[in-house]
Amino acid sequence: MCAKATMEEFEALLNESLEIDTPDEGSVVKGRVLAIEAGQAIIDVGYKMEGRVDLKEFANPGEAPDISVGDEVEVYLDRVENARGEAVISRDKARREAAWDRLEKAYADEERVEGAIFGRVKGGFTVDLGGAVAFLPGSQVDVRPVRDAGPLMGLKQPFQILKMDRRRGNIVVSRRAILEESRAEQRAEVIAKLAEGDVVDGVVKNITEYGAFVDLGGVDGLLHVTDMAWRRVNHPSEILSIGETIKVQIIKVNKETHRISLGIKQLQADPWDSVADKYALGSVHKGRVTNITDYGAFVELEPGVEGLVHVSEMSWTKKNIHPGKIVSTSQEVEVMVLDVDLAKRRVSLGLKQTQRNPWEVFAETHPTGTQIEGEVKNITEFGLFVGLEGDIDGMVHLSDLSWDQRGEEAIQDYRKGDVVKAVVTEVDVEKERISLSVKALENDSFSDAVDGVKRGSVVTCTVTAIEDGGIEVEYNGMKSFIRRSDLSRDRSEQRPERFQVGDKVDARVTNVDAKTRRLGLSIKAREIAEEKEAVQQYGSSDSGASLGDILGAALKSNEKG
């Protein structure tokens, strides 16, 4: 019994010893290199077990294996025994396990890790982080796109872990984050040394439509196009080229955003300091058209000094026309200074002021009564516009077209392009208005006909037509109409049919209207006037004489006369 108990106890102790001393599969163990043969290292992992590991597992990417007999190394124990009676071990897996532990701690502490780019894959590169392989996206290689990553391959450098998943074996790293952080530190250091007003050298890195970015030695500043020169610069490439070293002045530094504004023109004298002396009001200068807009044209008087010719000051005669139809870019023009505002750095210029006002010239050369000839430029509801010398127009109002026709009828005889003659009746230089008259070319037939005739005069007319409402008569070639009620003082005699065409009748003038060109006539008014005159001359009915006696006496007197 004692012997049997002793054997069982010995077996239990032996099993317990084996369980304690034999490492678990899937763990990292220490071993010693016994020999190197056939491209493999034979490693004693203890517990009377040996294993083999390829030499390449002891080499970093792109480097020779770093292993010698007698070295102590850590390996990963896959299985305790394989078919040949050896332990299945791996140096790569051991390094990977150790690396993951280290990387997880660095990721948690947001620390940088060291690694080397050793391969190219779709969308980026592979990085060895001391045993663990990470993915480096192409966008995370540098702050700018990298065309050739060759110089970076195999180079040990710091990386920032962006994401990692041990279960899936995924690690994503960034080299760009390290560079940006270093760049920010460098920018802060450079910016701390800069002060507004400093003059420094810089290299043009990039040119855009609105300016250029200048490298000041680790930090970029923006040189805006408006700060490149006192004159107008249409595009920065006119005066700068990439890679050029230039001298600039620090205009503004924002310590928080690290933005720096630069200027070149600030290093030169401001031409506006002498504008007031050079460009007096009313003075005339030559300039070059630099820009044309809908509201006018900008004219450069000298580099850095531009003035605006407003569209209203471009031409005496061309109204509501685009400035580009009057001047062209780069054209040299003569302008007059109309106003100078030093505070707003504005000069108002006039183009038309360098030429005489064509209305003034016309007024001098064509006084009232002058006969002109011109082409009908336009026909409107109120008259004709006739082209005159000096590229100006004169207007013939409807009422000035004809003596005998109404304006609406007379204008029907004219067409655009017709050449007409007229007389100048008025020139208003201030309002830029010239009045013309076509009818003034001829004498007024109405005025000739009624010359000497006044209201109350008695005229002899010839009956030309009999109508229900009265009779039409003619006097000195001018037609007039006597209404039925004006044919006689006696109501019974107010009959148009008692007259015949060709009869001569005496009528009293009741109205002379030169505006409507009408002569008012009345037989009734003549009879009443004659009666009143007879009563005054030969007595009255109150003295005992009858009206017949009085009129009879008046008629006999007339006959004798």
Side-chain angles (χ1 to χ4, degrees):
M1 286 293 292
C2 285
K4 187 177 181 181
T6 301
M7 284 299 292
E8 289 176 352
E9 289 174 0
F10 177 76
E11 188 177 345
L13 289 171
L14 180 61
N15 289 336
E16 186 180 343
S17 174
L18 288 172
E19 288 176 4
I20 294 172
D21 295 336
T22 303
D24 295 329
E25 292 179 350
S27 64
V28 177
V29 298
K30 286 186 178 182
R32 184 174 299 280
V33 179
L34 297 178
I36 296 175
E37 57 184 40
Q40 291 182 320
I42 302 171
I43 301 172
D44 178 11
V45 295
Y47 323 109
K48 297 182 180 181
M49 287 189 297
E50 295 176 0
R52 294 174 179 270
V53 178
D54 290 339
L55 291 180
K56 65 181 181 181
E57 293 190 26
F58 292 94
N60 290 321
E63 297 179 6
D66 184 17
I67 185 73
S68 302
V69 175
D71 287 351
E72 189 176 80
V73 295
E74 287 186 338
V75 293
Y76 182 84
L77 181 62
D78 259 345
R79 296 196 304 277
V80 172
E81 190 175 1
N82 63 9
R84 297 190 318 185
E86 296 178 337
V88 179
I89 58 177
S90 169
R91 172 61 179 164
D92 279 346
K93 289 185 178 180
R95 290 175 69 237
R96 189 178 300 120
E97 289 298 313
W100 271 94
D101 291 340
R102 174 174 51 82
L103 294 174
E104 282 183 332
K105 184 178 185 304
Y107 181 54
D109 297 339
E110 297 182 354
E111 294 178 349
R112 300 177 181 181
V113 295
E114 192 175 68
I117 302 173
F118 69 90
R120 185 187 291 273
V121 294
K122 185 178 180 181
F125 302 88
T126 51
V127 180
D128 178 23
L129 298 178
V133 177
F135 173 62
L136 172 64
S139 61
Q140 295 296 322
V141 176
D142 207 327
V143 290
R144 291 187 178 86
V146 176
R147 294 181 181 177
D148 181 16
L152 301 176
M153 302 295 281
L155 183 67
K156 285 190 176 180
Q157 54 193 312
F159 293 89
Q160 188 77 41
I161 299 176
L162 300 181
K163 185 171 65 173
M164 65 185 301
D165 186 338
R166 188 162 189 166
R167 184 173 60 85
R168 295 184 178 181
N170 291 338
I171 305 176
V172 180
V173 294
S174 171
R175 178 175 176 268
R176 175 178 177 172
I178 302 296
L179 296 177
E180 286 179 342
E181 188 176 331
S182 301
R183 187 183 179 90
E185 292 173 358
Q186 187 180 13
R187 284 173 62 91
E189 186 179 338
V190 173
I191 288 174
K193 296 177 183 178
L194 297 176
E196 294 179 7
D198 287 353
V199 178
V200 296
D201 289 329
V203 178
V204 180
K205 287 180 63 177
N206 191 25
I207 293 177
T208 68
E209 289 186 0
Y210 55 86
F213 288 94
V214 181
D215 186 356
L216 303 178
V219 61
D220 290 349
L222 173 62
L223 173 58
H224 198 272
V225 65
T226 56
D227 288 309
M228 291 182 178
W230 290 109
R231 67 177 178 85
R232 180 189 293 270
V233 178
N234 293 319
H235 195 278
S237 58
E238 291 178 9
I239 56 176
L240 295 177
S241 57
I242 294 176
E244 180 184 359
T245 300
I246 57 174
K247 200 172 286 291
V248 292
Q249 185 176 69
I250 308 296
I251 298 175
K252 190 175 182 181
V253 179
N254 190 320
K255 303 289 185 182
E256 295 179 0
T257 61
H258 290 182
R259 288 183 180 173
I260 303 171
S261 298
L262 307 173
I264 294 179
K265 73 179 185 181
Q266 287 76 5
L267 301 175
Q268 305 161 357
D270 186 352
W272 276 86
D273 292 341
S274 57
V275 163
D277 298 328
K278 284 185 179 179
Y279 305 102
L281 298 184
S283 59
V284 176
H285 306 269
K286 284 187 177 180
R288 183 177 59 86
V289 178
T290 57
N291 192 28
I292 297 174
T293 68
D294 291 338
Y295 54 84
F298 288 91
V299 176
E300 184 183 61
L301 299 174
E302 65 175 89
V305 179
E306 278 187 348
L308 172 67
V309 181
H310 193 269
V311 64
S312 62
E313 307 294 348
M314 302 198 85
S315 172
W316 288 109
T317 57
K318 295 174 182 176
K319 312 290 184 182
N320 302 319
I321 189 171
H322 193 276
K325 298 289 181 70
I326 301 175
V327 295
S328 57
T329 305
S330 298
Q331 179 184 347
E332 191 175 79
V333 293
E334 203 168 59
V335 290
M336 179 181 286
V337 178
L338 305 181
D339 185 45
V340 176
D341 189 333
L342 294 176
K344 294 182 179 178
R345 301 170 75 89
R346 290 179 183 171
V347 177
S348 297
L349 303 172
L351 190 64
K352 70 182 184 182
Q353 285 79 359
T354 59
Q355 305 161 357
R356 284 203 64 193
N357 184 334
W359 281 273
E360 285 182 0
V361 175
F362 189 88
E364 291 175 6
T365 56
H366 298 78
T368 301
T370 305
Q371 186 173 313
I372 61 92
E373 186 176 279
E375 182 183 328
V376 176
K377 297 291 185 181
N378 197 17
I379 300 176
T380 69
E381 60 183 12
F382 48 82
L384 306 176
F385 284 91
V386 179
L388 304 173
E389 294 176 16
D391 201 21
I392 58 179
D393 291 345
M395 191 188 81
V396 183
H397 194 269
L398 287 176
S399 60
D400 287 307
L401 287 172
S402 172
W403 290 112
D404 303 318
Q405 288 180 289
R406 292 188 305 110
E408 290 79 1
E409 296 173 356
I411 202 169
Q412 301 300 321
D413 297 332
Y414 295 91
R415 297 290 180 270
K416 195 172 180 180
D418 288 353
V419 176
V420 298
K421 290 182 179 180
V423 173
V424 178
T425 56
E426 184 187 6
V427 179
D428 190 330
V429 175
E430 199 70 29
K431 294 181 179 178
E432 298 181 349
R433 187 182 297 165
I434 297 172
S435 299
L436 306 173
S437 174
V438 172
K439 71 181 185 181
L441 293 168
E442 302 173 354
N443 291 330
D444 184 0
S445 58
F446 177 79
S447 297
D448 291 343
V450 299
D451 185 28
V453 176
K454 296 182 291 185
R455 187 175 179 180
S457 301
V458 175
V459 297
T460 301
C461 312
T462 302
V463 178
T464 55
I466 310 297
E467 299 180 11
D468 290 341
I471 60 173
E472 182 186 72
V473 297
E474 183 182 281
Y475 172 72
N476 277 357
M478 183 189 61
K479 296 288 181 70
S480 189
F481 191 77
I482 302 175
R483 295 176 299 175
R484 175 188 283 268
S485 60
D486 285 314
L487 291 178
S488 176
R489 178 176 178 275
D490 188 349
R491 182 180 289 271
S492 62
E493 293 298 314
Q494 294 177 351
R495 294 175 290 106
E497 60 270 17
R498 74 185 180 91
F499 296 93
Q500 291 184 356
V501 174
D503 287 353
K504 302 287 186 182
V505 295
D506 292 338
R508 184 182 176 90
V509 177
T510 58
N511 188 32
V512 180
D513 192 338
K515 190 173 183 180
T516 60
R517 301 173 58 75
R518 303 290 292 180
L519 188 66
L521 298 175
S522 173
I523 299 174
K524 175 182 175 180
R526 189 211 76 201
E527 291 176 346
I528 293 173
E530 287 177 348
E531 179 183 328
K532 187 182 293 185
E533 184 181 346
V535 169
Q536 290 176 349
Q537 188 172 356
Y538 298 101
S540 68
S541 56
D542 292 342
S543 61
S546 67
L547 181 59
D549 295 336
I550 296 170
L551 292 176
L555 288 172
K556 286 180 182 179
S557 176
N558 286 338
E559 286 173 3
K560 289 178 181 178

